[in-house]
Amino acid sequence: MRLSQFHLATVKEVPADAEIASHRLMLRAGMIRRLASGLYTWTPLGLRVLRKVEQVVREEMNRAGAIELLMPAVQPKELWEESGRWDKFGDQLLKIRDRKDQEFCFGPTHEEVITDFARNELKSYKQLPVNFYQIQTKFRDEIRPRFGVMRAREFLMKDAYSFHLSSESLADTYGAMYQAYSRIFNRLGLTFRAVQADTGAIGGNASHEFQVLADSGEDAIAFSDGSDYAANIEKAEALASSAARPAPHAELKRVDTPTQKTIAQVSAFLGVSPRQCIKTLLVRGRDGLVALCLRGDHEINEVKVSKLPELSGEPVLASEEEILAATNTRPGFIGPVGLPADIPVIVDRDAAALADFVCGGNADGTHYTGANWERDARVSRVEDIRQVVEGDRSPDGHGSLHIARGIEVGHIFQLGPKYAQALDATVLDDQGKSQVMMMGCYGIGVSRIVAAAIEQSHDEAGIIWPEAMAPWRVAVCIINPKHSPEVRDAAEALYRKLEQHGIETVLDDRGLRPGQMFADLELIGIPHRVVVSERGMAAGTLEYRNRGESDNRAITEDELFTLLA
Ligand code: ATP
Ligand code: MG
């Protein structure tokens, strides 16, 4: 490609709401242009990168035996009513009406459509297992679209859906997808981890997320230094303390804490460690309020809490009025000692191992010291309800946990019979009996990968593409083309030769000054830059610069080809 014939449009200024590097750099490099909130045009430059990612994904899906198809983006309401998700999916679902006033949604995902396809196409166990995939535009009306294409409303996803007669067959394909995903992210040059993921409302079965490690990631992941255990922090189990709870020692005493409400204030005021305090949260349960007790230095894990039978989904903190009505006490002074008997007290494993602790006094302006479970405070149940922290023991018993930030670029899931059951997608087994199919689903955020790669690899000057994602591998620069036709010819010849060797090359023939030209090429992240100049031609060399290095090297053309081989 000749840059003079391309639409390269780098920009200097980016809007202040471009908070993270990838968002800023994609705008500056001119890879994307914002149309409206969460909606982006992929420019010719951006699209070259997006297509590279798509191609790697496609090749590896094909290699793993998946079969490509393409489903409509617009999906009829009736299908979503069959699965029960028309109402359940929530506000992320963009609902639309046609001229006949019929309702549709713009697909945020395709379980319904593929299951409908499968129930019509698949009749016999002999057609199974089968794995269909597509690479297609999704729409999700995200609450907070941000970070450019990282969390957009319209984005490109690869979604695959497999169908099986047995859960063993599902587990096999799941394993094959796990391998395929690992190959994809390795080929794309990303540093990633596959982590155990929460299975959400569907429950039960296996699920992994593929997380690209980056400080700007929205997810936290916990991984062990002594094994290959890794999990989304939502899912990571906090083991019970191995030491037995000490016997009560201190006497229960009510102390005045007139204005001290938070753990930090109370522990500083009383001169005790937050680890020795109990934090009590009152949340709305199915039948009235529920108390959750944690050690003062720990945080609640909302996903774990949402699974408690006393709750009906995500925890919602009780309002000040509700707390007052139930306990006659203001928030900040609530504790497990003397709570009304109709409030269940769910105690975290570590909190349950404390003796002689500090907790709210259930009377305004007071706390207790020397409190003890059973003796002073009721325990309805001990549960794992906290977030793991750096240094916790790994749940598999090997090593300790570290926390890192990640960007979720892929998610694989054993759905089981959920959708097939709802939509009555069955096949005949070898006995001629009708069986509901088992399903797996496997997503990759194709457009998000582009941003994630930049988060992982950039510097002040711009993007540093992994080779497999670069818009072009090599840039050949012509310095002073008007001044020296020989230089121009030599650069043209080198460009043609590189292309003939199948090396994707861009010829910077825009006639810019070197400084401007190099700044653009660094910003857009071309891995290899070669300058043809009069001086170099006289010496029989090219001036070579690798995007990841800070110095030029004089190399011969042969050396260049060896380096690119
Ligand atoms: P997240 O937790 O980031 O919202 P999700 O769990 O809703 O993602 P899935 O339903 O598993 O996402 O979708 C498959 C993949 O699509 C995700 O792993 C992610 O890479 C990508 N993806 C999801 N939502 C978006 C979005 N709003 N913008 C860009 N990519 C997205
Ligand atoms: Mg997910």
Side-chain angles (χ1 to χ4, degrees):
M1 176 64 69
R2 289 159 191 281
L3 263 194
S4 63
Q5 324 264 294
F6 191 73
H7 180 76
L8 182 68
T10 57
V11 290
K12 291 245 148 45
E13 303 293 323
V14 293
D17 70 354
E19 299 165 62
I20 60 170
S22 60
H23 188 190
R24 284 195 297 272
L25 288 172
M26 287 183 81
L27 289 169
R28 277 183 54 206
M31 293 179 63
I32 52 169
R33 296 277 194 253
R34 181 179 181 276
L35 175 66
S37 170
L39 303 178
Y40 290 88
T41 294
W42 288 80
T43 66
L45 179 72
L47 188 62
R48 287 186 72 92
V49 178
L50 189 65
R51 291 281 183 254
K52 294 263 160 92
V53 177
E54 209 180 302
Q55 194 50 32
V56 170
V57 170
R58 182 174 278 118
E59 283 170 17
E60 293 302 331
M61 290 304 288
N62 292 344
R63 185 204 297 266
I67 318 170
E68 188 167 6
L69 48 49
L70 185 59
M71 293 178 268
V74 175
Q75 312 180 6
K77 172 185 180 183
E78 291 68 34
L79 216 44
W80 282 71
E81 283 182 326
E82 272 190 73
S83 71
R85 290 209 291 183
W86 184 256
D87 294 319
K88 247 209 207 134
F89 203 86
D91 291 336
Q92 284 209 357
L93 194 63
L94 179 66
K95 298 175 175 173
I96 43 191
R97 274 173 204 276
D98 71 3
R99 64 172 80 205
K100 292 190 212 123
D101 226 21
Q102 273 169 356
E103 287 191 275
F104 296 83
C105 66
F106 194 108
T109 177
H110 277 69
E111 282 83 7
E112 280 79 2
V113 179
I114 195 74
T115 309
D116 178 62
F117 176 77
R119 71 180 164 189
N120 294 323
E121 301 291 319
L122 307 174
K123 303 289 177 203
S124 156
Y125 72 97
K126 289 184 187 147
Q127 293 167 286
L128 304 183
V130 64
N131 190 3
F132 298 111
Y133 80 97
Q134 63 174 349
I135 297 177
Q136 195 236 19
T137 298
K138 306 283 188 244
F139 190 97
R140 293 182 183 178
D141 204 353
E142 299 277 354
I143 303 182
R144 233 190 122 195
R146 57 182 187 154
F147 302 157
V149 298
M150 189 84 88
R151 183 166 296 285
R153 294 199 294 170
E154 197 178 298
F155 59 97
L156 193 62
M157 194 199 287
K158 185 284 298 174
D159 45 328
Y161 307 88
S162 65
F163 294 87
H164 312 266
L165 199 58
S166 68
S167 36
E168 292 74 31
S169 166
L170 168 56
D172 279 350
T173 298
Y174 184 84
M177 285 294 102
Y178 186 105
Q179 295 307 328
Y181 276 39
S182 302
R183 289 185 60 96
I184 289 167
F185 300 123
N186 278 324
R187 275 184 65 183
L188 292 173
L190 299 169
T191 306
F192 70 96
R193 272 177 199 270
V195 307
Q196 294 176 23
D198 179 54
T199 47
I202 300 160
N205 304 310
S207 174
H208 285 86
E209 287 165 356
F210 288 76
Q211 297 271 358
V212 162
L213 301 184
D215 290 340
S216 59
E218 290 184 290
D219 287 9
I221 61 178
F223 60 96
S224 170
D225 57 14
S227 72
D228 60 5
Y229 177 84
N232 190 308
I233 203 160
E234 291 179 343
K235 161 102 179 169
E237 184 185 357
L239 290 183
S241 146
S242 44
R245 178 163 73 212
H249 201 71
E251 236 173 84
L252 182 68
K253 245 198 285 185
R254 191 191 287 276
V255 294
D256 284 338
T257 50
T259 57
Q260 290 71 29
K261 295 182 173 183
T262 65
I263 292 289
Q265 291 164 345
V266 172
S267 63
F269 185 69
L270 298 177
V272 295
S273 152
R275 294 173 62 105
Q276 202 51 39
C277 300
I278 291 290
K279 161 157 70 181
T280 306
L281 304 172
L282 290 179
V283 297
R284 292 183 189 151
R286 284 181 198 276
D287 328 290
L289 299 187
V290 177
L292 306 171
C293 294
L294 297 141
R295 225 169 65 183
D297 58 332
H298 286 151
E299 297 298 329
I300 200 98
N301 179 315
E302 299 200 356
V303 171
K304 292 176 183 175
V305 169
S306 69
K307 290 184 180 148
L308 295 174
E310 287 83 359
L311 269 71
S312 47
E314 286 185 13
V316 181
L317 286 178
S319 67
E320 179 159 352
E321 294 73 53
E322 286 170 306
I323 295 175
L324 258 177
T327 65
N328 215 11
T329 310
R330 293 191 182 283
F333 304 105
I334 305 294
V337 178
L339 262 190
D342 58 341
I343 300 181
V345 181
I346 312 290
V347 183
D348 181 66
R349 289 170 171 173
D350 280 299
L354 282 188
D356 302 336
F357 53 82
V358 170
C359 63
N362 288 328
D364 286 356
T366 72
H367 276 77
Y368 283 115
T369 62
N372 282 278
W373 298 114
E374 323 289 355
R375 190 191 73 181
D376 312 314
R378 191 163 47 82
V379 177
S380 308
R381 232 172 41 253
V382 175
E383 295 270 5
D384 169 24
I385 53 171
R386 74 168 170 95
Q387 205 88 278
V388 294
V389 293
E390 188 83 24
D392 276 346
R393 281 186 304 141
S394 177
D396 66 357
H398 303 288
S400 46
L401 292 181
H402 298 277
I403 313 288
R405 308 293 309 176
I407 300 167
E408 182 193 321
V409 290
H411 196 171
I412 59 175
F413 216 116
Q414 296 188 21
L415 290 170
K418 181 180 156 86
Y419 292 94
Q421 198 131 51
L423 272 72
D424 197 24
T426 58
V427 291
L428 296 180
D429 66 12
D430 57 355
Q431 310 291 312
K433 251 181 62 195
S434 175
Q435 300 270 9
V436 171
M437 289 184 277
M438 302 291 274
M439 270 178 81
C441 73
Y442 319 93
I444 287 186
V446 175
S447 46
R448 182 181 282 182
I449 285 175
V450 177
I454 299 174
E455 279 310 313
Q456 218 167 50
S457 178
H458 64 269
D459 62 13
E460 255 91 86
I463 301 164
I464 306 177
W465 289 116
E467 203 103 352
M469 289 174 67
W472 297 277
R473 284 186 70 203
V474 186
V476 174
C477 303
I478 316 178
I479 307 284
N480 267 332
K482 292 215 179 74
H483 180 70
S484 165
E486 294 77 28
V487 167
R488 181 169 193 114
D489 291 347
E492 292 268 354
L494 176 62
Y495 163 63
R496 280 196 301 274
K497 193 166 168 187
L498 284 161
E499 288 273 271
Q500 276 158 13
H501 280 74
I503 298 165
E504 268 187 308
T505 305
V506 64
L507 181 69
D508 196 342
D509 58 348
R510 293 176 297 168
L512 297 182
R513 279 183 293 119
Q516 258 178 310
M517 183 155 64
F518 296 163
D520 272 355
L521 295 173
E522 281 172 13
L523 176 57
I524 70 173
I526 309 300
H528 309 276
R529 184 183 80 197
V530 184
V531 176
V532 182
S533 66
E534 269 175 326
R535 194 149 37 99
M537 280 175 71
T541 57
L542 301 160
E543 195 179 286
Y544 169 82
R545 167 79 78 96
N546 187 291
R547 179 63 182 83
E549 293 167 10
S550 50
D551 291 312
N552 291 337
R553 279 190 267 160
I555 61 172
T556 63
E557 194 178 295
D558 283 349
E559 284 169 334
L560 176 66
F561 276 90
T562 312
L563 192 138
L564 294 171

